[in-house]
Amino acid sequence: MTFEHGFLIFYAALSLYSCGITWQAQRVSYPLFGMVPADGYVAYHRFYSRSIPLVVIVPGFACFLAPLVLLIARPDTIPLWTALLNVALGLTSLLVTVALEIPRHTR
């Protein structure tokens, strides 16, 4: 197996993992925010925010930036347009996360 194909497998696994984490957050974590009493919410959210970097944030940002590696180390069997589309989608997701989602969490 070449590096390019190994990276493609890694990128697919990373994408599936990130998708699963996103669904878990949307369906479980975020709804739980509303169940925390007002007087304990700040402490709860601080704990949540300290607990997620290795599980959510690092893989998420790796998933946003991995398409750049895919563009550089693209196997010949992967059309250029699909690699460019992946880069565009990854950078769009990164922009939405940084511009919209992180400020929402901060509030």
Side-chain angles (χ1 to χ4, degrees):
M1 177 179 353
T2 65
F3 168 79
E4 292 85 359
H5 287 97
F7 178 77
L8 206 54
I9 291 168
F10 166 77
Y11 179 41
L14 179 63
S15 296
L16 289 171
Y17 174 82
S18 290
C19 183
I21 288 294
T22 300
W23 273 98
Q24 184 279 331
Q26 295 296 323
R27 302 293 297 164
V28 178
S29 294
Y30 296 156
L32 284 175
F33 287 0
M35 300 181 80
V36 178
D39 62 341
Y41 185 81
V42 172
Y44 175 83
H45 195 270
R46 283 187 183 142
F47 173 79
Y48 173 84
S49 296
R50 282 191 314 268
S51 301
I52 64 172
L54 288 176
V55 178
V56 178
I57 296 172
V58 171
F61 276 85
C63 199
F64 296 153
L65 299 174
L68 296 171
V69 177
L70 177 63
L71 186 62
I72 295 164
R74 179 180 53 88
D76 293 336
T77 54
I78 304 296
L80 177 60
W81 71 268
T82 60
L84 290 171
L85 182 60
N86 267 275
V87 169
L89 293 171
L91 293 177
T92 299
S93 296
L94 178 62
L95 178 65
V96 168
T97 299
V98 170
L100 298 177
E101 299 305 326
I102 291 174
R104 284 182 186 158
H105 263 278
T106 302
R107 283 191 303 267

